[in-house]
Amino acid sequence: MNKLVFCIFLIFTLGACSSSDWRTASRAPAGIAYDPSLVHDAIVEVYAADAFSWRGWFAVHTWIAIKEPNVEQYTVFEVVGWRTPTVRRQTTKTPDRYWYGAKPEKVLSIVGEKAELMLPKIKAAVDAYPYANEYTVFPGPNSNTFTAWVGKQVPEMELDLPFSAIGSGYVE
């Protein structure tokens, strides 16, 4: 009987948590990125936000944003599991958008000459990502595997992803 009660509780709990609609969830800018029209230096940033729906209890989604010097847009690199190839590139003035309702946090922010020196290495690492046509929520490869892999290829980033970046250890 206890198992039945637990199963019913679990179904209702997960149902309540997954009632969010990804199509209408916020993708608004969080206001934590540098304004590319005001900051003319190179920028390298990594963001993390709770994964969508109940998965956010356990895991985050991570992505990388870079900005060339004297350019007024960022290039955002991320892996998403609902398309192939999984690596997505997007140019935007707002790399700090909510991840389907979850406010992002900056995991890394480097501005200036150090960031500028990293840009070609980051682009080369993105292009060489070995799992560009694969995606598995657990144990990986996933969005966090991608971000961690780029960080390993560019050690001067000194990237330290949060513990909840499940899949980041897939390439270790």
Side-chain angles (χ1 to χ4, degrees):
M1 184 66 167
N2 286 342
K3 288 181 182 180
L4 177 63
V5 171
F6 176 75
C7 287
I8 292 171
F9 171 77
L10 188 62
I11 289 168
F12 281 111
T13 302
L14 292 178
C17 295
S18 62
S19 64
S20 301
D21 183 357
W22 63 269
R23 291 169 292 203
T24 59
S26 177
R27 294 286 286 145
I32 59 175
Y34 291 102
D35 183 337
S37 64
L38 300 176
V39 178
H40 302 289
D41 293 330
I43 300 172
V44 172
E45 294 191 326
V46 175
Y47 294 92
D50 289 346
F52 182 68
S53 187
W54 60 269
R55 292 174 290 282
W57 292 353
F58 309 102
V60 294
H61 169 80
T62 59
W63 64 95
I64 301 167
I66 63 171
K67 187 188 88 58
E68 299 278 350
N70 302 311
V71 173
E72 293 193 9
Q73 291 195 83
Y74 289 85
T75 301
V76 174
F77 303 103
E78 67 185 325
V79 161
V80 291
W82 57 82
R83 55 184 288 194
T84 300
T86 61
V87 179
R88 184 171 86 169
R89 301 164 195 252
Q90 175 186 5
T91 54
T92 180
K93 292 185 178 206
T94 55
D96 60 340
R97 291 184 176 189
Y98 278 62
W99 178 251
Y100 297 98
K103 184 176 182 178
E105 295 180 16
K106 282 187 191 182
V107 173
L108 174 77
S109 183
I110 302 169
V111 179
E113 186 177 335
K114 182 178 179 185
E116 187 173 351
L117 293 172
M118 287 183 214
L119 297 180
K121 295 176 183 180
I122 291 170
K123 291 178 198 173
V126 168
D127 290 341
Y129 180 58
Y131 308 107
N133 294 309
E134 298 177 50
Y135 186 94
T136 305
V137 172
F138 181 82
N142 58 33
S143 64
N144 301 317
T145 307
F146 168 74
T147 305
W149 194 85
V150 172
K152 287 184 182 301
Q153 307 313 301
V154 188
E156 55 269 44
M157 287 175 73
E158 299 178 23
L159 181 59
D160 185 23
L161 291 175
F163 178 77
S164 56
I166 294 173
S168 62
Y170 186 80
V171 293
E172 288 190 284

